[in-house]
Amino acid sequence: MEYQEVPGSGGLYGRSRTRRRRRLRRTLVVALAAVLLIAGGGLGAAWAYGRSLNHDLARTNAFAGLPTDRPTQTVTGALNILVLGSDSRDPDNTADSRTDTIMLVHVDADHQHAYSISIPRDSWVYVPASADGTHGDTKAKINAAYAWGGTPLVVQTVEKFTGVRIDHVVLIDFAGFARVTDALGGVDMYVEQTITSIHGQHRTFTKGEHHFTGAEALDYVRQRKQFKDGDFARERHQQEFLKALMTKAASTGTLTDPVKLNAFLRAVTSSVTVDESFNLVDTAFALRDLRADDVTFLTSPSAGTPTIDGQSVVEPNTTKAAALYKAVRTDTVAQWVAASKK
């Protein structure tokens, strides 16, 4: 499982697309750049709108109490963003909760490509001691860090595991992303096998192409027990979901329609929480040339799913993972991906 790439995510499929199509398929984070073209009020209006969106973002002190011996940033201009998916937008009240989605997003130094690396939530790793000293300092499933010490302990745990310094943190409320999906009129995804949901309305998803409402998409990407590869399947579907959102935003004219764009961006900003230093306008400007076809989805290398202490866990492939995260630190992920295909 050391390398998984979603079709059209920047690999063999995306590179062959025409320049015109690539210009249309922009990523979520640079959607703000489209305002500059259609706002009608010039740079000042776009800047003011961006500042308004930035002000509306919920924030958390994601780096509170972190030790001084954090990894150092080795490549100027590269950016590492930790994306956490949760059903709660209250990052300061995490007792008895888990984060089901953990993604390390690496943007290369020239801001022309991004790599989203999913870390399985059941990865068996060392979790440092929590700030209050009552939890951690032991090996556990990586998502236990969120319950034991909130976002800061997740940051510390991921940095210990990868050796990569985290620059920013974005928490996604996946329930909120159902509203984002509906703001776009739904999304299209391929269902790889027929399953019945174990949640809520127990929907049946039949194999093949489907158009999903927000509630349906959220239900589908939560499923894991019906698939042979369990959490790996859920990660794959979450990646496909995010890709579908980006594709739909570009393909339906959302980014060139002021009313649609405003509704879309307001739904996005109401569904995420960011660290205190994250600046939406600065980030959007820095990543203005990054397009959806320039995003490659990967999975952190694993070595199986053994049972440890009575729990089914994901055992990291330490050798391959070390090579991948060294590539992240040295901004050579493209070379790592190429070597993985041989």
Side-chain angles (χ1 to χ4, degrees), residues 45 49 57 61 70 81 101 123 128-129 172 185-186 189 201 239 250 265 268 276 290 293 305 312 340:
Y49 178 69
L57 287 170
N61 190 353
R70 297 178 61 198
I81 303 171
T101 302
S123 295
I172 297 176
M189 288 190 294
Q201 300 179 25
Q239 292 171 346
L265 290 177
V268 171
E276 293 181 337
L290 192 67
D293 282 343
T305 55
S312 176
S340 298

Side-chain angles (χ1 to χ4, degrees), residues 255-310:
L255 304 185
T256 57
D257 183 314
V259 176
K260 288 183 179 180
L261 180 61
N262 179 63
F264 172 59
L265 290 177
R266 293 293 179 185
V268 171
T269 54
S270 69
S271 302
V272 299
T273 299
V274 298
D275 64 87
E276 293 181 337
S277 66
F278 182 90
N279 186 292
L280 179 63
V281 177
D282 290 349
T283 303
F285 182 77
L287 305 184
R288 63 192 180 280
D289 294 326
L290 192 67
R291 297 165 173 84
D293 282 343
D294 300 320
V295 181
T296 300
F297 290 94
L298 308 169
T299 298
S300 188
S302 63
T305 55
T307 298
I308 299 178
D309 294 341

